[in-house]
Amino acid sequence: MTRVTGKLTMRSAPAEIFRTLADGVRQHAVTPTTGAHRDAPVTIVTQYTTRMWFGTVVTTEEATLDPGRSVRWRHVDGPLTGSVEAFRIEPGDAGGALVVYEGEIRARHPLFRGPLDRLFVAPATKRISMAPLRALRVTADGT
Protein backbone atom coordinates (compact mmCIF):
# COMPACT_ATOMS: atom_id res chain seq x y z
CA MET A 1 0.00 0.00 0.00
CA THR A 2 1.14 3.52 -0.76
CA ARG A 3 0.23 6.27 1.69
CA VAL A 4 -1.13 9.58 0.37
CA THR A 5 -1.91 12.69 2.38
CA GLY A 6 -3.06 16.24 1.87
CA LYS A 7 -4.43 19.18 3.84
CA LEU A 8 -6.65 22.09 3.00
CA THR A 9 -7.72 24.96 5.25
CA MET A 10 -11.13 26.52 4.79
CA ARG A 11 -12.92 29.50 6.24
CA SER A 12 -16.22 27.60 6.34
CA ALA A 13 -17.35 25.93 9.55
CA PRO A 14 -16.62 22.20 9.96
CA ALA A 15 -20.36 21.38 10.06
CA GLU A 16 -20.93 23.12 6.72
CA ILE A 17 -18.00 21.33 5.11
CA PHE A 18 -19.23 17.96 6.35
CA ARG A 19 -22.78 18.66 5.17
CA THR A 20 -21.58 19.54 1.67
CA LEU A 21 -19.28 16.50 1.45
CA ALA A 22 -22.04 14.20 2.75
CA ASP A 23 -24.50 15.59 0.19
CA GLY A 24 -21.96 14.79 -2.53
CA VAL A 25 -21.59 11.23 -1.25
CA ARG A 26 -25.37 10.79 -1.19
CA GLN A 27 -25.54 11.95 -4.83
CA HIS A 28 -23.33 9.01 -5.76
CA ALA A 29 -25.31 6.45 -3.75
CA VAL A 30 -26.07 3.23 -5.64
CA THR A 31 -29.47 3.13 -3.92
CA PRO A 32 -31.30 6.28 -2.81
CA THR A 33 -30.77 7.44 0.77
CA THR A 34 -32.95 9.58 2.97
CA GLY A 35 -32.12 12.52 5.22
CA ALA A 36 -32.69 10.29 8.27
CA HIS A 37 -28.97 9.51 8.36
CA ARG A 38 -27.80 13.09 8.77
CA ASP A 39 -27.08 12.87 12.53
CA ALA A 40 -25.77 9.32 12.97
CA PRO A 41 -22.87 7.46 11.33
CA VAL A 42 -23.98 5.59 8.24
CA THR A 43 -22.32 3.57 5.48
CA ILE A 44 -23.58 4.03 1.94
CA VAL A 45 -22.56 2.08 -1.18
CA THR A 46 -21.52 4.61 -3.82
CA GLN A 47 -20.32 4.56 -7.39
CA TYR A 48 -18.05 7.15 -9.00
CA THR A 49 -17.16 7.57 -12.67
CA THR A 50 -13.92 9.38 -13.48
CA ARG A 51 -12.65 10.29 -16.93
CA MET A 52 -8.92 9.76 -17.33
CA TRP A 53 -6.68 10.30 -20.34
CA PHE A 54 -6.90 6.59 -21.21
CA GLY A 55 -10.66 6.13 -20.68
CA THR A 56 -13.31 6.03 -18.00
CA VAL A 57 -12.75 4.51 -14.56
CA VAL A 58 -15.70 3.30 -12.47
CA THR A 59 -15.24 2.62 -8.76
CA THR A 60 -17.68 1.21 -6.24
CA GLU A 61 -17.00 2.22 -2.66
CA GLU A 62 -18.46 1.97 0.81
CA ALA A 63 -18.63 5.53 2.10
CA THR A 64 -18.96 5.97 5.85
CA LEU A 65 -20.30 9.33 6.96
CA ASP A 66 -19.38 10.21 10.54
CA PRO A 67 -21.30 13.47 11.06
CA GLY A 68 -19.12 16.48 11.67
CA ARG A 69 -15.95 14.40 11.80
CA SER A 70 -15.09 12.50 8.63
CA VAL A 71 -16.00 10.80 5.40
CA ARG A 72 -14.23 7.49 4.77
CA TRP A 73 -14.26 5.42 1.60
CA ARG A 74 -13.33 1.75 1.25
CA HIS A 75 -12.97 0.70 -2.39
CA VAL A 76 -14.91 -2.53 -3.00
CA ASP A 77 -14.72 -2.75 -6.79
CA GLY A 78 -12.64 -1.05 -9.43
CA PRO A 79 -8.95 -0.35 -9.97
CA LEU A 80 -8.28 0.42 -6.27
CA THR A 81 -10.17 -2.47 -4.64
CA GLY A 82 -9.06 -2.72 -1.00
CA SER A 83 -7.78 0.86 -0.84
CA VAL A 84 -9.05 3.25 1.84
CA GLU A 85 -9.35 7.05 1.74
CA ALA A 86 -10.70 9.56 4.25
CA PHE A 87 -11.38 13.26 4.71
CA ARG A 88 -11.08 14.15 8.39
CA ILE A 89 -12.55 17.53 9.36
CA GLU A 90 -10.96 19.38 12.27
CA PRO A 91 -11.85 22.77 13.76
CA GLY A 92 -9.53 25.49 12.54
CA ASP A 93 -8.81 29.14 13.25
CA ALA A 94 -11.57 31.76 13.42
CA GLY A 95 -14.41 29.23 13.04
CA GLY A 96 -12.91 27.65 9.94
CA ALA A 97 -11.70 24.11 9.43
CA LEU A 98 -8.75 21.99 8.43
CA VAL A 99 -9.61 19.07 6.18
CA VAL A 100 -7.02 16.30 6.25
CA TYR A 101 -6.95 13.77 3.39
CA GLU A 102 -5.36 10.40 4.12
CA GLY A 103 -5.30 7.27 2.04
CA GLU A 104 -3.74 3.85 1.71
CA ILE A 105 -3.71 3.19 -2.03
CA ARG A 106 -2.93 0.01 -3.91
CA ALA A 107 -3.73 -0.76 -7.52
CA ARG A 108 -5.74 -3.91 -8.03
CA HIS A 109 -4.02 -4.82 -11.29
CA PRO A 110 -0.56 -6.34 -10.70
CA LEU A 111 1.03 -4.34 -13.55
CA PHE A 112 0.31 -1.10 -11.68
CA ARG A 113 1.71 -2.24 -8.33
CA GLY A 114 5.15 -1.48 -6.96
CA PRO A 115 6.82 1.58 -8.48
CA LEU A 116 3.75 2.51 -10.55
CA ASP A 117 1.67 2.65 -7.34
CA ARG A 118 3.99 5.38 -6.07
CA LEU A 119 4.70 7.11 -9.39
CA PHE A 120 1.27 7.09 -11.03
CA VAL A 121 -1.62 5.51 -9.11
CA ALA A 122 -1.22 7.29 -5.74
CA PRO A 123 -0.59 10.80 -7.19
CA ALA A 124 -3.51 10.42 -9.63
CA THR A 125 -5.79 9.23 -6.81
CA LYS A 126 -4.75 12.13 -4.58
CA ARG A 127 -5.37 14.65 -7.38
CA ILE A 128 -8.81 13.19 -8.12
CA SER A 129 -9.77 12.95 -4.43
CA MET A 130 -8.61 16.46 -3.52
CA ALA A 131 -10.43 18.08 -6.48
CA PRO A 132 -13.85 18.18 -4.72
CA LEU A 133 -12.24 19.77 -1.66
CA ARG A 134 -10.62 22.47 -3.76
CA ALA A 135 -13.91 23.08 -5.57
CA LEU A 136 -15.71 23.28 -2.22
CA ARG A 137 -13.23 25.84 -0.97
CA VAL A 138 -13.79 27.99 -4.07
CA THR A 139 -17.58 27.71 -3.78
CA ALA A 140 -17.90 28.07 0.00
CA ASP A 141 -14.99 30.36 0.78
CA GLY A 142 -14.55 32.22 -2.48
CA THR A 143 -10.80 31.41 -2.51
Side-chain angles (χ1 to χ4, degrees):
M1 293 265 188
T2 301
R3 184 164 174 75
V4 291
T5 61
K7 293 181 182 180
L8 202 59
T9 57
M10 297 191 189
R11 289 185 281 193
S12 298
E16 181 61 30
I17 293 167
F18 177 81
R19 189 172 23 261
T20 303
L21 290 173
D23 287 347
V25 168
R26 287 184 188 94
Q27 289 173 5
H28 289 274
V30 172
T31 56
T33 62
T34 65
H37 304 297
R38 293 191 187 267
D39 295 326
V42 64
T43 298
I44 301 169
V45 176
T46 60
Q47 193 166 68
Y48 293 86
T49 302
T50 305
R51 291 189 181 269
M52 304 279 293
W53 59 272
F54 56 83
T56 302
V57 176
V58 178
T59 60
T60 302
E61 305 163 14
E62 289 179 345
T64 301
L65 304 174
D66 187 0
R69 292 185 181 92
S70 67
V71 179
R72 181 181 180 273
W73 292 268
R74 186 177 68 81
H75 296 255
V76 295
D77 191 29
L80 300 176
T81 299
S83 297
V84 176
E85 299 177 88
F87 290 147
R88 192 176 70 246
I89 305 162
E90 301 174 355
D93 296 334
L98 172 67
V99 182
V100 178
Y101 166 69
E102 298 174 317
E104 292 288 332
I105 305 302
R106 182 172 187 222
R108 184 169 106 179
H109 196 287
L111 291 177
F112 286 99
R113 290 187 190 154
L116 285 180
D117 254 343
R118 290 183 305 280
L119 298 173
F120 173 71
V121 177
T125 301
K126 178 180 177 178
R127 181 178 35 79
I128 291 165
S129 295
M130 292 289 290
L133 279 183
R134 289 187 181 100
L136 174 60
R137 183 169 67 179
V138 168
T139 301
D141 292 353
T143 58

